[in-house]
Amino acid sequence: MDHPLDVLLGSGPQDIYRVRTRAPGPEGRLPLTHEMLADSPSGDLFGWTQNVGMGWDPSRLTGRQVLILGTQGGIRAEDGTPLALGYHTGHWEVGLLMRAAAARIRERGGIPFAGYVSDPCDGRSQGTTGMFDSLPYRNDAAVVLRRLIRSLPTRHALLGVATCDKGLPAMLLALASMHDLPCVLIPGGVTLPPEQGEDAGKVQTIGSRYARGELSLEEASELGCRACATPGGGCQFLGTAATAQVVAEAMGLALPHSALAPSGQPVWEEMAARSADAVLNLLAKRIVTRDIVTDAAIRNAMVVHAAFGGSTNLLLHLPAAAHAAGCRIPSVQDWIEVNREVPRLVSVLPNGPEYHPTVRVFLAGGVPEVMLHLRRLGLLDGNALTAAGEKLGAVLDWWEQSERRDAFRRRLKEADGVDPDDVILAPDRARQRGLTSTVTFPTGNLAPEGSVIKSTSIDPSMLDSRGVFRHRGRAKVFTTEKQAIRAIKDGTIGKGDILVLIGRGPSGTGMEETYQLTSALKHLSYGKYVSLITDARFSGVSTGACIGHVGPEALSGGPVGKLRDGDLIEIEVDCRQLTGRLNFIGEGGKEVTPAEGAAILARRSPHPQLAADPELPDDTRLWAALQAVSGGIWRGGIYDVDRILAVLEAGQKALAEKESSCGK
């Protein structure tokens, strides 16, 4: 009988035994000089040796070195078919962008280097313990990207290629922190919607709709198969992935009209080559990242975010990018002021009122088209520098008269029969169509530190004549997402209920994303009559009366963690004035004032089932502690090293004093 290891490692093709023990090595000579040998670090010299060892022509070793970092995932055959799958379409094709950028750098006499830090898929991990690593991953990836950048000491410039929910924010943080390097971000673009079927946001609700009898097994199977109609790019809606692309361009780190390009198509690949040109141009002009990512650039990005109606997850990522760049971190009050001042101008999935996919936004003119309207309103700083090496004002002057603008807007009419001015609307037209501002930050005795609701996506039929949403209802409280989604599927959650999910903030789950709940409510027939309150966060595609980021989180003593089934809650959101209230106002049959409610909650003990998830990884527990010390979610979930060291030093001093006292 064959030994198991003979079966596993036994006889194979005879050529495996013909192992070479020496090779002649590359031909030619390194272009060394006396000064280099006398003064250069050994790492620089050995770097050249390795470069030619990998096949680089020794005569071309003196070019400018450009590091290209990407989030590529999966292994593609030459024809694009999968040899090994990626985690998601967003990183499946970005290697093609890296290749196009590298080819252009070579053409121009430069030396491209490439490295990879892949990223997870929030859609794939919805409702699973994989979500516990989602938000913490961003910081980890940014750390690794920065280490890779610093580990190539001879690089002169940097290109970052990324697409999706965590990979792109991580890349944004990494590039923003390279203050003295020329950097350009290349967005990975978007996938196309199916000709017949549902977008990748709505299709994630097939389980809930099937469970409630609103979809057949055959329908669910067919819809699920078609939703990702092309193999690359971020989802077709203005979720976190698309919003992060928009924000990167608005900050000036990505070239004009590079966000939301359709993945795999010529315009998408051309932008990678143009971005390589741009970073070499910045290098020649000695323009570095600190010149581009400024307080003005951060403010411009916030303004564009509001005009697009972007994902609330950027309230976590844009402050983190500001911190990385050494800029002022925007406060909640800054976000409130921007959203009160800036009209929403983009009609797109998931906000509406017309649910255009993101590729139509690109064809309608994308970020620069929106910026033209914002400039006319006096809402942008036109002196901010961009990756194009020009000030924003000059970029917009060019865009307004460009052939590129006319050609793409014309293509939208030809291909889809859609007027680009119905996708990106002028302010007056947007107001007439009922587009409202993006986010509101309700406070009250349940959220003394604040909370977030994407108020623009509350069903318009639920607003009164003044644009105010009101919901007074009884709480149904859950401490796990699994309990909550089961309650939706089995009918425990009904019309008029207020679903409360607690213990799912940073300390409980790493601040998991609860899209399976919000999407189910959005696409169930009675969902608009149910409100959701949680200390977790939402997917960028989430819509409806869903209030997240409630602070303090339940596990940090937040009053929301003291709610019980049957408690009376009052929600009020003014979608025009962007004010909101979130209050506990009664228990049993007794109604109380918000102040009396606060006193009752202060006397209560936490919910008896409130606890961190038993499967929470140690890595995420450490992230939660470090970001809490650094100012928490409202400062972007960052690592503020000075704050962390101060707390550690204070703790060490206190421990030493205690030990000294015990010794005496």
Side-chain angles (χ1 to χ4, degrees):
M1 184 176 180
D2 290 338
H3 192 284
L5 287 179
D6 283 331
V7 176
L8 182 65
L9 298 172
S11 61
Q14 288 302 302
D15 62 356
I16 69 169
Y17 301 112
R18 291 192 286 272
V19 177
R20 296 172 61 188
T21 59
R22 285 179 176 78
E27 295 183 0
R29 304 174 63 181
L30 300 182
L32 295 170
T33 64
H34 166 77
E35 290 76 19
M36 292 177 65
L37 289 169
D39 301 326
S40 295
S42 65
D44 288 3
L45 304 178
F46 184 56
W48 272 12
T49 298
Q50 294 208 69
N51 293 350
V52 296
M54 288 183 277
W56 197 260
D57 184 342
S59 67
R60 300 183 60 199
L61 283 172
T62 56
R64 305 294 261 176
Q65 297 184 9
V66 179
L67 175 58
I68 309 170
L69 291 175
T71 56
Q72 173 73 38
I75 304 173
R76 292 163 44 92
E78 286 300 313
D79 64 358
T81 56
L83 299 175
L85 292 168
Y87 284 39
H88 54 93
T89 61
H91 65 205
W92 178 245
E93 292 184 331
V94 297
L96 301 177
L97 293 175
M98 298 177 74
R99 179 180 294 186
R104 180 58 58 87
I105 292 163
R106 284 176 58 108
E107 287 172 12
R108 296 190 52 180
I111 305 176
F113 285 76
Y116 302 84
V117 179
S118 196
D119 55 347
C121 175
D122 282 1
R124 188 179 292 274
S125 59
Q126 288 293 337
T128 75
T129 56
M131 186 53 70
F132 298 172
D133 290 290
S134 170
L135 183 55
Y137 168 87
R138 184 206 67 184
N139 286 13
D140 295 344
V143 168
V144 173
L145 289 164
R146 286 193 292 261
R147 290 192 186 280
L148 285 174
I149 296 165
R150 294 190 294 264
S151 296
L152 187 67
T154 52
R155 75 279 185 268
H156 298 99
L158 177 62
L159 289 169
V161 187
T163 303
C164 276
D165 292 29
K166 298 303 173 299
L168 200 152
M171 190 70 74
L172 194 60
L173 267 60
L175 268 60
S177 66
M178 294 296 118
H179 303 164
D180 298 316
L181 270 181
C183 296
V184 174
L185 192 146
I186 306 174
V190 300
T191 189
L192 297 185
E195 293 176 354
Q196 298 292 328
E198 297 180 349
D199 68 88
K202 186 174 182 179
V203 83
Q204 292 180 51
T205 71
I206 55 177
S208 296
R209 286 184 286 156
Y210 173 76
R212 297 308 305 272
E214 299 187 10
L215 207 61
S216 72
L217 178 60
E218 183 179 2
E219 289 170 331
S221 301
E222 291 181 357
L223 291 169
C225 187
R226 288 197 298 267
C228 295
T230 50
C235 294
Q236 309 105 328
F237 46 79
L238 193 72
T240 306
T243 306
Q245 293 184 39
V246 165
V247 163
E249 184 179 329
M251 284 174 62
L253 268 180
L255 281 184
H257 202 228
S258 60
L260 312 182
S263 182
Q265 298 193 41
V267 63
W268 170 85
E269 206 160 357
E270 182 229 24
M271 189 55 71
R274 302 277 190 179
S275 297
D277 287 333
V279 83
L280 292 173
N281 182 46
L282 294 179
L283 182 59
K285 290 185 173 183
R286 298 186 178 180
I287 297 174
V288 295
T289 300
R290 73 166 71 251
D291 301 321
I292 293 174
V293 186
T294 61
D295 288 343
I298 298 296
R299 179 79 177 187
N300 283 345
M302 294 172 69
V303 168
V304 172
H305 175 274
F308 266 80
S311 163
T312 55
N313 276 321
L314 270 293
L315 275 66
L316 298 166
H317 302 316
L318 191 52
H323 175 261
C327 298
R328 176 180 170 273
I329 297 176
S331 66
V332 174
Q333 191 57 42
D334 293 326
W335 284 104
I336 293 172
E337 289 174 3
V338 165
N339 277 274
R340 282 179 177 165
E341 192 177 13
V342 178
R344 183 165 66 93
L345 304 176
V346 183
S347 183
V348 64
L349 282 164
N351 300 332
E354 296 297 325
Y355 298 112
H356 296 293
T358 42
V359 66
R360 289 182 181 170
V361 180
F362 173 79
L363 291 172
V367 173
E369 192 70 23
V370 172
M371 282 182 150
L372 285 180
H373 293 298
L374 295 172
R375 180 170 69 168
R376 294 182 193 115
L377 295 173
L379 295 172
L380 292 175
D381 188 330
N383 289 316
L385 268 176
T386 71
E390 303 286 343
K391 291 182 179 180
L392 177 60
V395 167
L396 296 180
D397 288 342
W398 165 81
W399 173 258
E400 193 165 19
Q401 304 300 322
S402 70
E403 176 189 354
R404 192 180 189 94
R405 179 190 183 218
D406 289 343
F408 282 123
R409 286 167 61 84
R410 198 163 54 245
R411 177 59 185 160
L412 179 57
K413 288 184 178 179
E414 294 169 354
D416 287 2
V418 172
D419 184 343
D421 291 331
D422 284 336
V423 180
I424 297 174
L425 290 75
D428 288 345
R429 192 171 187 177
R431 195 177 305 111
Q432 292 167 4
R433 294 291 304 279
L435 275 72
T436 55
S437 296
T438 309
V439 292
T440 301
F441 300 86
T443 56
N445 64 27
L446 288 175
E449 289 182 358
S451 61
V452 176
I453 181 169
K454 196 173 184 182
S455 48
T456 193
S457 61
I458 297 175
D459 190 302
S461 68
M462 301 304 294
L463 308 180
D464 67 15
S465 60
R466 297 183 178 181
V468 178
F469 170 82
R470 292 184 176 87
H471 187 180
R472 178 180 288 212
R474 298 288 175 179
K476 289 185 178 176
V477 183
F478 304 90
T479 56
T480 72
E481 189 184 16
K482 183 180 289 187
Q483 294 170 347
I485 192 65
R486 176 52 53 197
I488 290 174
K489 288 183 175 181
D490 68 16
T492 301
I493 297 295
K495 182 177 180 179
D497 286 337
I498 295 180
L499 191 163
V500 180
L501 178 63
I502 57 175
R504 314 315 279 179
S507 302
T509 64
M511 203 179 189
E512 68 182 357
E513 194 177 86
T514 58
Y515 177 62
Q516 66 167 340
L517 301 180
T518 61
S519 62
L521 294 175
K522 169 69 176 178
H523 295 292
L524 288 173
S525 56
Y526 66 90
K528 67 181 181 180
Y529 301 106
V530 177
S531 296
L532 171 60
I533 299 170
T534 183
D535 52 5
R537 62 191 176 90
F538 303 130
S539 163
V541 73
S542 293
T543 60
C546 303
I547 301 173
H549 299 223
V550 170
E553 63 171 313
L555 284 165
S556 292
V560 71
K562 298 180 178 183
L563 289 174
R564 303 289 194 273
D565 282 348
D567 283 343
L568 185 61
I569 294 174
E570 184 177 55
I571 301 170
E572 182 176 296
V573 178
D574 188 324
C575 297
R576 296 177 186 169
Q577 300 301 316
L578 301 187
T579 58
R581 298 183 300 170
L582 181 60
N583 287 312
F584 160 77
I585 57 167
E587 56 183 341
K590 182 182 179 183
E591 188 170 330
V592 298
T593 66
E596 292 169 333
I600 293 171
L601 290 173
R603 294 193 296 269
R604 275 189 186 178
S605 59
H607 192 286
Q609 296 176 2
L610 181 64
D613 195 286
E615 296 188 62
L616 190 67
D618 284 346
D619 299 327
T620 300
R621 292 176 59 214
L622 178 60
W623 165 83
L626 293 176
Q627 67 84 34
V629 169
S630 303
I633 292 302
W634 292 102
R635 292 189 80 229
I638 59 174
Y639 295 157
D640 187 324
V641 176
D642 290 335
R643 285 195 184 196
I644 292 168
L645 291 178
V647 170
L648 289 174
E649 289 165 5
Q652 289 172 337
K653 182 178 180 181
L655 181 61
E657 290 174 351
K658 182 178 180 181
E659 290 175 345
S660 175
S661 175
C662 290
K664 293 178 181 178

